[in-house]
Amino acid sequence: MVVGGELFLLTGFMRNRAYGTLLVGIGGLPQASLEEALDWVLDSYDEVFRPQPPLGDGASGMLAECLPEGLPLAAHPGFGVKLDRLADDQTLAGFFDLEALDDLPVLAAQRRFLAALGDRGEGRGLKDQFAGPITILQSLRDSWSRPLWAFPEHHGLLARWCGEIGRRLAQGLKAGTDRAVVILDEPVLGLPGPREHGDEIVAILEPVLEGIRASGARAGLHCCSAPPLDLLRRLPIDELSLDAQRFGSELETGAPILADYLRGGGRLRLGIVAPFPTGADHDPLPLLRRIERSSGLRPEELVDRLALSPSCGTMLCPLDREAEIVSALRQARTRIDGWLEESR
């Protein structure tokens, strides 16, 4: 993977920890208000991230935040988001107008988040996450239920749209911290279809990620489908968020690729706890040991490039499940700390 930019200095980035594994969140949380969710983030996680509530009719969370006002959507779209009439490229371009971005829900939500946060996140680092162009292209369908991904003429339009969103989110975070992270939410990259078009995906995502970097933030990508590591290694990703709960064996097989990524300065965010109970959380230690053997990194170097998270947002979970998730993440970090002590 192509990784650049400065590594974070961890001193002061985590509460009461001079080194070690960060506990981070995805975005969606079950709390009813921004203030309640933000208090929970500050008390429970090392990195401060913007909570993302449900939005819209059939287009909740990150996807709805990134859609322009007035887009003609069907009332009951089923999976994803459906236009109520066929929209050609010219029609879509009228809605995805970069000059009309100021009032986009995702940017307005970040302004509210930063205002509510004030200076409480000082020294902690800030993260925001938004729907990436591949996911929007796959989720937004025309009136005949064809995903916009099937129409290459729309690819550049959504790449420019998401590129400008990413740039503005990075600039917003940079006003409050020198340790900003902006992550593209791209859950569909590992699904059949997109992953078979690697050149097109790189052409769409690379300028979006580079634009985030150019705005002073670390550029990340979240993929909670089967991780297409051969594809992801071609992209300029500083923060790679993957679902280890479901795809731990695939990550272990890809340990040499992940080792190269970490040696290059990237951070690996492992989703080890599912939003809803599955019977067992993922134990990250076998993967860490395998990466250690492949990378030549000392255990403490490896751990300082690691973060633990839920495997996906917890928006639909009850509050007590979110509390269980945080407890499980802390227990996993304690086990990793024990591994560090044993390795010394």
Side-chain angles (χ1 to χ4, degrees):
M1 293 174 187
V2 185
V3 181
E6 298 181 7
L7 284 175
F8 281 157
L9 297 176
L10 295 184
T11 301
F13 187 57
M14 298 172 294
R15 290 179 297 124
N16 304 319
R17 295 180 66 84
Y19 68 90
T21 303
L22 295 173
L23 301 187
V24 301
I26 299 297
L29 285 171
Q31 282 78 8
S33 70
L34 172 61
E35 290 74 17
E36 291 173 339
L38 187 51
D39 287 343
W40 178 259
V41 169
L42 289 165
D43 288 341
S44 305
Y45 293 92
D46 298 312
E47 177 185 69
V48 182
F49 60 94
R50 178 175 64 86
Q52 292 166 294
L55 285 175
D57 177 13
S60 63
M62 294 184 187
L63 180 60
E65 286 189 327
C66 294
L67 296 179
E69 183 178 1
L71 195 66
L73 300 180
H76 300 287
F79 178 77
V81 183
K82 186 176 180 180
L83 299 169
D84 71 356
R85 62 178 181 271
L86 182 65
D88 60 25
D89 189 47
Q90 183 177 3
T91 303
L92 277 184
F95 291 105
F96 289 92
D97 179 4
L98 298 183
E99 295 184 1
L101 268 174
D102 285 344
D103 295 326
L104 197 67
V106 67
L107 300 177
Q110 190 195 71
R111 292 192 291 270
R112 291 192 297 270
F113 159 67
L114 293 174
L117 178 64
D119 60 2
R120 290 187 292 166
E122 187 175 354
R124 297 272 295 274
L126 300 177
K127 188 213 80 171
D128 212 330
Q129 188 157 329
F130 72 103
I134 308 302
T135 292
I136 295 177
L137 285 164
Q138 281 282 15
S139 302
L140 187 59
R141 296 171 291 132
D142 69 14
S143 59
W144 295 337
S145 291
R146 299 174 300 184
L148 296 191
W149 171 259
F151 303 92
E153 62 268 25
H154 299 316
H155 293 184
L157 175 67
L158 268 297
R160 290 189 295 275
W161 180 257
C162 290
E164 184 62 15
I165 293 173
R167 187 182 70 82
R168 295 196 188 192
L169 289 176
Q171 290 175 339
L173 294 185
K174 285 294 292 181
T177 182
D178 59 355
R179 292 183 290 275
V181 177
V182 175
I183 293 184
L184 299 184
D185 192 61
E186 289 287 12
V188 306
L189 286 187
L191 300 180
R195 67 183 300 164
E196 299 163 8
H197 298 274
D199 290 343
E200 292 94 328
I201 287 175
V202 170
I204 293 169
L205 293 183
E206 187 171 34
V208 180
L209 293 163
E210 291 290 9
I212 292 169
R213 283 178 164 183
S215 299
R218 284 171 68 88
L221 187 141
H222 172 70
C223 176
C224 54
S225 51
L229 295 180
D230 284 335
L231 168 59
L232 296 175
R233 74 192 306 176
R234 300 170 57 187
L235 292 166
I237 300 170
D238 301 309
E239 304 275 337
L240 180 59
S241 173
L242 300 174
D243 184 347
Q245 168 66 30
R246 289 190 296 163
F247 303 109
S249 59
E250 288 90 336
L251 295 182
E252 289 190 33
T253 300
I257 295 176
L258 295 175
D260 288 342
Y261 169 68
L262 295 171
R263 279 199 305 267
R267 184 183 306 283
L268 182 60
R269 297 169 176 248
L270 291 179
I272 64 168
V273 185
F276 295 96
T278 60
D281 299 326
H282 176 74
D283 180 3
L285 284 176
L287 174 59
L288 296 183
R289 293 189 180 103
R290 196 156 183 174
I291 293 175
E292 180 195 10
R293 293 193 296 269
S294 299
S295 68
L297 293 170
R298 300 190 307 275
E300 58 267 28
E301 293 175 314
L302 175 57
V303 168
D304 278 348
R305 291 162 170 79
L306 178 67
L308 301 179
S309 75
S311 60
C312 198
T314 59
M315 179 190 306
L316 301 179
C317 296
L319 287 170
D320 59 354
R321 176 56 185 165
E322 167 65 23
E324 290 173 356
I325 288 170
V326 171
S327 177
L329 293 175
R330 290 173 176 168
Q331 291 171 22
R333 180 164 66 182
T334 297
R335 292 195 299 273
I336 291 172
D337 287 348
W339 175 59
L340 283 180
E341 291 300 324
E342 293 172 2
S343 67
R344 292 193 175 116

